[in-house]
Amino acid sequence: MALTKEQMAQRIARELKDGYYVNLGIGIPTLVANYVPKGMNVVFQSENGILGMGPFPYEGEEDADLINAGKQTVTLLPGSSIFDSSTSFAMIRGQHVQLTVLGAMEVTDTGDIANWKIPGKMVKGMGGAMDLVASAENIIVAMMHANKAGESKLLKHCTLPLTGVRCVKKVVTDLGAFDITPEGFRLLERAPGVTVEEIKARTEGRLVVGGEVPEMVV
Amino acid sequence: MNKIVKSADEALDGLRDGMTLMVGGFGLCGIPEKSIAALVRKGVKGLTCISNNAGVDDFGLGLLLQTRQIKKMISSYVGENAEFERQLLSGELQVDLVPQGTLAERCRAGGAGIPAFFTPAGYGTEVAEGKETREFNGKMYVLEEWLRADFALVKAWKGDRFGNLVYKRTARNFNPMMAMAGKITVAEVEQLVDPSELDPDEIHTPGIFVNRIFQGTDYEKRIEQRTTRKRN
């Protein structure tokens, strides 16, 4: 069984460590906030100017002046701070944020990522994605293993315009978890019931399988 | 020292066709609603607008797109706007897409007198095409130039007659850097207060960066994505 989006988020949440400052992208990455282990202190950064972002507000308590990078109404947690966009990206470029989780359309076995533009379609812009991928020390991509046409999104070379080069460290898809190593995608764990052969068949980039690959516990 | 002007219309005195404007805000949060409305009334055309986003169809900078007053946008993300898309595809509108952190820093650099800086964002992508790149400590960086504007239009929560500004929550976003980078910076505030009411330690934008200030009324503060959770 391939992982659900919630299970992918759960798996990524296992990469969190106490004291981490974390930036979550829109989509599956946002779900990671729901799975912070109890007792662990993780501070979420939103690039429009928040450290210590909390959950959505209760109905009736929305504040138009308090939104996240997805323009959704949010809340602040005790110890939070607010800053301008320049300071926010100083945190990101200056590598003060320990973990970035974002979605992607394509990732290569050398860690290149494409996630902002499809030629021929309306281009909406890269937002903060290029700044995030160019600087973050630890970037995890959360995405489906294949696109809607069933083609692998784990490639040798990106076919879409790049967002950043040699920057992604780990990929979690609905089929498994992978480290990006000099040899290619190293298969760390399989989704429950998904075989190594199936993953091999559905991965276009170089895949490294070292010995027994454990099934993911979710 | 008194930088107070009576209205948004008076604040835009001297703003002409073809000028370059910076417009604060992130999405619809912290946008200078009253100055945008005054731009529509004024009818100036051929504007270049530097703003993180382009509003939505019927609010924010979207209002100036409807009236075809914008010639070019310099932004990081321009989704959520059908009229924008139509004008872009028909060639009526030019767009420069800039990584968000680079956009913020280019505004800051403009205000701080730094003509260019190196950033890692966009290296190896089409954003870096035609730009100087250089290696520092084994990593590649792209040279990006400052941005400055004829007018910077910003929105703050509180301000005083010296032009000192305090922003509220994430309505701060691009406003402080843009305030620094305008030849003429116009600040609109929800509350124009006596200078004694602002703590000098807590000023976000020192008044030196602001040329004109006025108090707006009846802020709409539209929410783009109203997300809530249920009470248990």
Side-chain angles (χ1 to χ4, degrees):
Chain A
M1 274 285 285
L3 298 181
T4 63
K5 289 176 179 178
E6 294 284 340
Q7 288 172 319
M8 289 164 64
Q10 261 179 310
R11 171 59 188 82
I12 291 168
R14 297 221 306 267
E15 304 293 325
L16 299 172
K17 291 198 172 70
D18 198 49
Y20 262 20
Y21 290 95
V22 179
N23 182 292
L24 301 177
I26 294 164
I28 301 171
T30 305
L31 302 174
V32 174
N34 300 332
Y35 299 103
V36 179
K38 278 219 161 54
M40 184 183 282
N41 287 299
V42 172
V43 176
F44 291 108
Q45 200 247 19
S46 187
E47 64 263 30
N48 59 317
I50 312 174
L51 273 179
M53 179 173 47
F56 294 150
Y58 290 120
E59 280 176 40
E61 294 182 2
E62 309 93 306
D63 179 355
D65 289 328
L66 186 54
I67 62 169
N68 64 15
K71 286 119 186 172
Q72 299 170 311
T73 45
V74 292
T75 55
L76 298 176
L77 296 174
S80 62
S81 56
I82 296 284
F83 34 86
D84 63 53
S85 301
S86 172
T87 305
S88 179
F89 283 91
M91 293 172 190
I92 290 164
R93 261 189 254 100
Q95 301 195 324
H96 305 283
V97 174
Q98 277 90 14
L99 176 65
T100 295
V101 184
L102 72 177
M105 302 183 218
E106 296 177 343
V107 174
T108 71
D109 55 26
T110 56
D112 292 355
I113 175 172
N115 73 349
W116 75 282
K117 181 176 181 181
I118 301 174
K121 285 204 180 174
M122 168 65 186
V123 180
K124 295 189 168 188
M126 67 292 281
M130 285 195 182
D131 309 272
L132 281 158
V133 302
S135 305
E137 280 178 281
N138 192 4
I139 300 173
I140 302 179
V141 163
M143 65 175 190
M144 305 309 279
H145 206 93
N147 63 21
K148 281 177 185 147
E151 300 156 341
S152 180
K153 294 169 72 173
L154 284 71
L155 305 172
K156 288 191 181 75
H157 304 285
C158 285
T159 63
L160 297 170
L162 292 169
T163 308
V165 292
R166 295 177 181 273
C167 52
V168 178
K169 298 290 188 292
K170 194 183 281 278
V171 182
V172 174
T173 75
D174 51 330
L175 300 188
F178 308 82
D179 264 346
I180 293 185
T181 68
E183 292 74 41
F185 297 107
R186 174 177 292 277
L187 180 58
L188 301 173
E189 295 159 31
R190 301 171 285 121
V194 174
T195 64
V196 170
E197 284 63 39
E198 197 176 340
I199 292 168
K200 269 185 189 162
R202 294 177 62 181
T203 304
E204 195 237 76
R206 293 172 300 151
L207 183 70
V208 185
V209 181
E212 268 312 281
V213 178
E215 211 167 72
M216 199 178 290
V217 182
V218 284
Chain B
M1 183 79 69
N2 186 4
K3 299 178 178 178
I4 298 171
V5 293
K6 281 191 220 55
S7 65
D9 301 284
E10 189 183 334
L12 301 189
D13 185 45
L15 200 157
R16 295 187 309 272
D17 288 355
M19 280 190 163
T20 295
L21 315 183
M22 285 186 183
V23 183
F26 184 98
L28 300 178
C29 182
I31 59 171
E33 289 182 24
K34 306 304 164 191
S35 293
I36 292 170
L39 281 170
V40 173
R41 285 195 295 273
K42 201 172 176 72
V44 280
K45 295 212 178 318
L47 302 172
T48 294
C49 288
I50 302 165
S51 188
N52 189 54
N53 311 93
V56 295
D57 279 329
D58 60 345
F59 200 54
L61 288 180
L63 296 171
L64 291 175
L65 288 167
Q66 279 185 2
T67 49
R68 318 265 165 95
Q69 289 173 264
I70 300 177
K71 175 185 71 180
K72 181 177 178 181
M73 284 295 313
I74 301 177
S75 304
S76 86
Y77 188 83
V78 292
E80 350 290 352
N81 193 321
E83 177 60 17
F84 183 98
E85 184 168 350
R86 193 198 65 70
Q87 290 187 20
L88 181 62
L89 295 173
S90 71
E92 292 167 60
L93 182 69
Q94 302 165 44
V95 180
D96 256 9
L97 291 169
V98 179
Q100 195 176 130
T102 299
L103 183 63
E105 200 60 18
R106 288 176 71 188
C107 295
R108 203 195 74 82
I114 297 171
F117 57 91
F118 281 99
T119 175
Y123 177 75
T125 76
E126 62 187 59
V127 162
E129 282 170 17
K131 291 175 186 160
E132 184 182 339
T133 57
R134 198 185 292 184
E135 184 180 328
F136 295 91
N137 288 326
K139 186 171 165 133
M140 295 303 294
Y141 295 81
V142 183
L143 188 70
E144 293 281 3
E145 292 183 11
W146 62 8
L147 286 170
R148 291 183 293 176
D150 297 306
F151 273 76
L153 310 178
V154 304
K155 153 84 195 322
W157 177 36
K158 291 184 197 174
D160 66 19
R161 62 186 166 85
F162 289 90
N164 293 310
L165 302 178
V166 177
Y167 306 94
K168 190 160 171 239
R169 303 298 192 227
T170 55
R172 192 180 322 183
N173 56 62
F174 281 81
N175 284 299
M177 289 81 66
M178 291 184 169
M180 293 165 66
K183 274 183 210 141
I184 295 175
T185 291
V186 172
E188 57 178 84
V189 296
E190 289 175 55
Q191 297 175 32
L192 192 55
V193 300
D194 189 82
S196 64
E197 290 179 50
L198 297 180
D199 181 344
D201 279 334
E202 293 175 359
I203 303 287
H204 296 136
T205 292
I208 191 170
F209 297 118
V210 175
N211 302 92
R212 303 172 188 171
I213 186 167
F214 69 93
Q215 180 172 296
T217 52
D218 303 318
Y219 276 94
E220 180 175 341
K221 292 199 190 182
R222 196 182 294 184
I223 292 175
E224 240 171 297
Q225 306 279 342
R226 188 179 296 274
T227 47
T228 58
R229 66 189 146 132
K230 293 250 185 282
R231 285 170 207 276
N232 291 328

